[in-house]
């Protein structure tokens, strides 16, 4: 996907190189609100599991959402006693706000979160983050609805969860299976570009993040999980469901209107054979041809229906001109988005104007064909007119594709230019740059310093302005490289 004003793209996914460094590879965030009883057992159990099974350096960050009980004291004690534990205090509630704030401040290349009740079996944690470390995927989620998942929960929550995901599939065409499971991870370079586009600060944060990532073409890895319902969950089901439905409506409206700048999340396919340079074959031509043929086939059917309708009360030339005009506008809009991947409203008027020029050429071909048919037969049958129009439209379609590709929607990306990634967050107009490589992956036994100290911040300030100026470039792993040994 691209637009004429696209500020940059994400780099190709690469395996993070192994080595020794002082920054944790994985930062697991635990959002909490008044969880003084469950917090310590959760952190101790998670820390023990990571210490025994995770081969790289890690950190556990407690994100306190303005708790009013003894949670801050428990969090401070855990931070003081365990070097891999950090404490982050927010003065406003909201799981989405907590995740955005802590993830934006973290220096770890892999960011994850899980619910404090640890309903998800921790054995799924390494499979969750492994595809992100390897460069295979951009985000990863635990799924309680996968066939091989083992879930223990009541029928009420089961029904609500499945109904919600059916709504997402039907309204937003979501293909991921479980938006609500509190067990997710994301690469930091992706988070830096994706999170500024996510508006929700509560429970809908997960869903909005996944929908935007999926619509932008990012790869989401799903891990089947073993999950046991927490009977003491404090989630308000009715209010949460209402807020989620409002979020679905908001996102659906934004996607339909093209107001989301999803082109900022464009990422090349890396070593995808479809994108390799082939002599005398322009890059991306195969996918564009398929998309153009599909749109063209539907447009032709639409055109024929319109022609048949207009022919009932007008002559063949007038009916042809009206049908071609309406179908040309729809065809240009569909090809703009689906075939050539142009998002947003920028340049839409110019593209339609250029499309009308292409329409004029198609009109000349089809009108000339009709004129020649009428001159040859005098009063041709309706079926004969349709056959001639189909042949003329096929010729016009070939010319239309060539003009669309070379003139209306040209690919302005510079060949051989390395893709770049946004490092600094500016809510209105982010910019993208890369100058320094990622730090090598540290091994877990290596001591490291806490990248930030416990502090109190206002979540609004963190969400609006706490992105650090960090630049990076992912380094590829050559073939000879080896690695050393939420409930609802």
């Amino acid at each position: 996907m691209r637009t004429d004003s696209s500020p940059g793209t994400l780099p190709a996914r690469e395996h993070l190189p192994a080595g020794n460094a002082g920054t944790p590879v994985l930062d697991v965030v635990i959002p909490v609100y008044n969880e003084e009883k469950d917090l310590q057992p959760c952190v101790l159990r998670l820390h023990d599991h990571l210490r025994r099974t995770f081969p790289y350096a890690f950190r556990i960050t407690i994100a306190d959402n303005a708790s009013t009980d003894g949670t801050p004291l428990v969090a401070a004690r855990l931070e003081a006693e365990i070097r891999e534990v950090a404490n982050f205090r927010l003065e406003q509630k909201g799981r989405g706000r907590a995740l955005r704030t802590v993830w934006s401040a973290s220096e770890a290349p892999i960011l994850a979160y899980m619910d404090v009740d640890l309903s998800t079996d921790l054995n799924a944690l390494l499979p969750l983050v492994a595809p992100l470390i390897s460069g295979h995927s951009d985000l990863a989620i635990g799924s309680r609805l996968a066939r091989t998942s083992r879930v223990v929960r009541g029928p009420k929550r089961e029904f609500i969860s499945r109904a919600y995901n059916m709504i997402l599939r039907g309204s937003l065409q979501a293909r991921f299976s479980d938006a609500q499971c509190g067990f997710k991870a994301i690469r930091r370079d992706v988070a830096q570009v994706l999170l500024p586009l996510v508006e929700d600060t509560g429970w809908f944060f997960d869903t909005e993040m996944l929908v935007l990532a999926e619509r932008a073409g990012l790869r989401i890895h799903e891990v089947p999980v073993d999950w046991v319902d927490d009977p003491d969950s404090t989630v308000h089901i009715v209010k949460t469901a209402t807020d989620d439905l409002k979020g679905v409506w908001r996102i659906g409206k934004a996607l339909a209107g093209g107001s989301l700048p999803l082109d900022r999340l464009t990422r090349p396919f890396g070593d995808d054979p479809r994108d390799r340079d082939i002599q005398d074959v322009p890059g991306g031509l195969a996918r564009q041809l398929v998309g153009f043929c599909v749109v063209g086939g539907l447009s032709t059917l639409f055109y024929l229906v319109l022609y048949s309708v207009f022919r009932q009360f007008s002559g063949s030339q007038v009916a042809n001109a009206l049908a071609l005009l309406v179908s040309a506008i729809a065809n240009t809009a569909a090809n703009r988005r689906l075939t050539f991947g142009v998002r947003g409203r920028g340049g839409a008027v110019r593209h339609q104007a250029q499309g009308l020029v292409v329409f004029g050429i198609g009109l000349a071909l089809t009108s000339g064909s009709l004129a020649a048919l009428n001159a040859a037969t005098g009063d041709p049958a309706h079926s004969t007119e349709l056959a001639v129009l189909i042949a003329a439209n096929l010729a016009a379609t070939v010319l239309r594709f060539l003009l669309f590709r070379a003139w209306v929607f040209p690919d302005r990306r510079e060949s051989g230019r390395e893709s770049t990634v946004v490092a600094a967050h500016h809510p209105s107009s982010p910019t993208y740059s890369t100058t320094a490589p990622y730090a090598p992956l540290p091994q877990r036994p290596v001591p490291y310093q806490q990248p930030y100290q416990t502090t109190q911040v206002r979540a609004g300030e963190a969400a609006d302005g706490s992105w650090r100026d960090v630049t990076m470039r992912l380094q590829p792993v050559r073939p000879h490289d080896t690695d050393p040994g939420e409930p609802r």
Side-chain angles (χ1 to χ4, degrees):
M1 295 173 292
R2 64 182 189 279
T3 63
D4 296 337
S5 60
S6 174
T9 60
L10 289 168
R13 286 184 295 264
E14 302 289 353
H15 194 306
L16 300 178
N20 293 326
T23 302
V25 174
L26 174 66
D27 191 349
V28 183
V29 180
I30 305 176
V32 293
Y33 173 72
N34 290 347
E35 299 285 356
E36 60 179 349
K37 294 182 179 179
D38 295 335
L39 179 56
Q40 180 167 324
C42 165
V43 171
L44 293 179
R45 179 181 165 195
L46 176 59
H47 178 265
D48 178 69
H49 177 83
L50 289 171
R51 183 181 55 81
R52 290 184 295 103
T53 64
F54 193 68
Y56 301 114
F58 64 87
R59 177 172 63 238
I60 301 171
T61 301
I62 303 169
D64 181 8
N65 285 328
S67 295
T68 57
D69 63 355
T71 299
L73 298 177
V74 176
R77 184 172 67 251
L78 290 170
E79 181 183 36
E81 296 176 354
I82 306 175
R83 67 172 189 176
E84 290 89 359
V85 174
N87 179 28
F88 209 96
R89 167 78 177 182
L90 292 92
E91 298 303 332
Q92 290 178 278
K93 292 177 60 177
R95 184 180 65 172
R97 179 180 288 109
L99 292 177
R100 188 205 316 274
T101 303
V102 177
W103 280 354
S104 68
S106 178
E107 298 177 354
I110 307 299
L111 309 169
Y113 95 89
M114 61 180 59
D115 292 330
V116 69
D117 55 22
L118 293 185
S119 295
T120 304
D121 183 19
L122 292 178
N123 287 328
L125 182 55
L126 185 55
L128 182 80
V129 302
L132 308 185
I133 294 175
S134 71
H136 175 272
S137 301
D138 299 296
L139 299 91
I141 64 174
S143 175
R144 299 163 297 183
L145 303 181
R147 289 188 176 182
T148 55
S149 298
R150 295 181 295 180
V151 177
V152 179
R153 62 176 168 180
K156 180 180 178 180
R157 288 183 178 272
E158 181 76 12
F159 172 78
I160 293 175
S161 180
R162 292 188 178 274
Y164 179 67
N165 284 281
M166 287 181 62
I167 292 174
L168 293 180
R169 288 172 176 260
S171 60
L172 301 179
Q173 288 79 50
R175 295 189 297 272
F176 48 85
S177 65
D178 192 351
Q180 298 173 311
C181 183
F183 193 68
K184 295 180 176 69
I186 185 173
R187 288 174 64 102
R188 181 169 66 100
D189 59 337
V190 177
Q192 288 179 321
V193 189
L194 176 59
L195 294 186
L197 304 180
V198 180
E199 296 183 13
D200 191 81
T201 59
W203 290 99
F204 189 70
F205 174 88
D206 303 50
T207 301
E208 185 172 355
M209 179 180 68
L210 292 175
V211 170
L212 296 184
E214 187 176 70
R215 286 299 186 95
L218 300 182
R219 181 174 291 164
I220 301 175
H221 177 74
E222 295 198 20
V223 178
V225 297
D226 298 338
W227 194 88
V228 179
D229 190 13
D230 176 18
D232 298 325
S233 175
T234 58
V235 177
H236 194 293
I237 296 179
V238 176
K239 183 180 183 304
T240 301
T242 303
D243 293 341
D244 286 348
L245 292 177
K246 291 179 180 178
V248 170
W249 172 259
R250 174 175 56 81
I251 293 299
K253 184 178 179 180
L255 291 173
S259 60
L260 291 171
L262 297 181
D263 57 290
R264 298 178 188 175
L265 300 174
T266 301
R267 184 194 284 284
F269 283 87
D271 198 31
D272 192 317
R274 296 172 297 180
D275 282 337
R276 294 174 185 169
D277 293 332
I278 303 176
Q279 187 175 1
D280 300 326
V281 177
L285 178 61
R287 283 195 296 277
Q288 290 181 357
L289 278 173
V290 172
F292 185 82
C293 289
V294 172
V295 173
L298 296 175
S299 298
T300 300
L301 293 177
F302 184 49
Y303 161 79
L304 294 175
V305 171
L306 290 176
Y307 177 81
S308 298
V309 173
F310 294 146
R311 190 68 174 85
Q312 301 299 319
F313 53 84
S314 63
S316 60
Q317 292 288 3
V318 175
N320 174 65
L322 291 176
L324 197 59
L325 175 61
V326 176
S327 61
I329 294 175
N331 181 276
T332 300
N335 276 306
R336 181 178 186 269
R337 176 159 186 155
L338 302 178
T339 303
F340 298 96
V342 180
R343 305 280 180 170
R345 300 178 181 177
V349 175
R350 176 173 57 83
H351 292 153
Q352 283 293 349
Q354 292 173 314
L356 289 178
V357 175
V358 179
F359 152 75
I361 298 174
L363 178 62
L365 285 174
T366 54
S367 297
S369 301
L370 281 177
L373 176 63
N374 290 327
T377 61
D379 188 17
H382 183 64
S383 59
T384 306
E385 285 183 347
L386 291 181
V388 171
L389 288 175
I390 290 174
N393 267 287
L394 289 176
T397 297
V398 176
L399 182 60
R400 185 184 302 120
F401 176 76
L402 296 177
L403 290 175
F404 273 175
R405 180 176 172 85
W407 180 47
V408 183
F409 307 111
D411 189 350
R412 291 186 170 88
R413 292 172 294 182
E414 298 178 15
S415 59
R417 181 180 179 182
E418 186 174 355
S419 300
T420 56
V421 61
V422 174
H425 168 45
H426 303 283
S428 58
S429 57
T431 56
Y432 298 71
S433 63
T434 61
T435 57
Y438 249 143
L441 284 183
Q443 301 301 303
R444 178 174 51 75
V446 177
Y448 62 91
Q449 299 295 324
Q450 295 281 0
Y452 55 82
Q453 300 296 324
T454 302
T455 184
Q456 293 188 357
V457 300
R458 293 187 178 274
E461 296 175 355
D464 294 338
S466 66
W467 289 91
R468 301 181 179 181
D469 268 332
V470 183
T471 55
M472 74 208 88
R473 178 178 299 139
L474 299 178
Q475 299 295 325
V477 173
R478 294 176 290 275
H480 59 271
D481 289 345
T482 57
D483 291 339
E486 111 199 36
R488 291 288 186 107

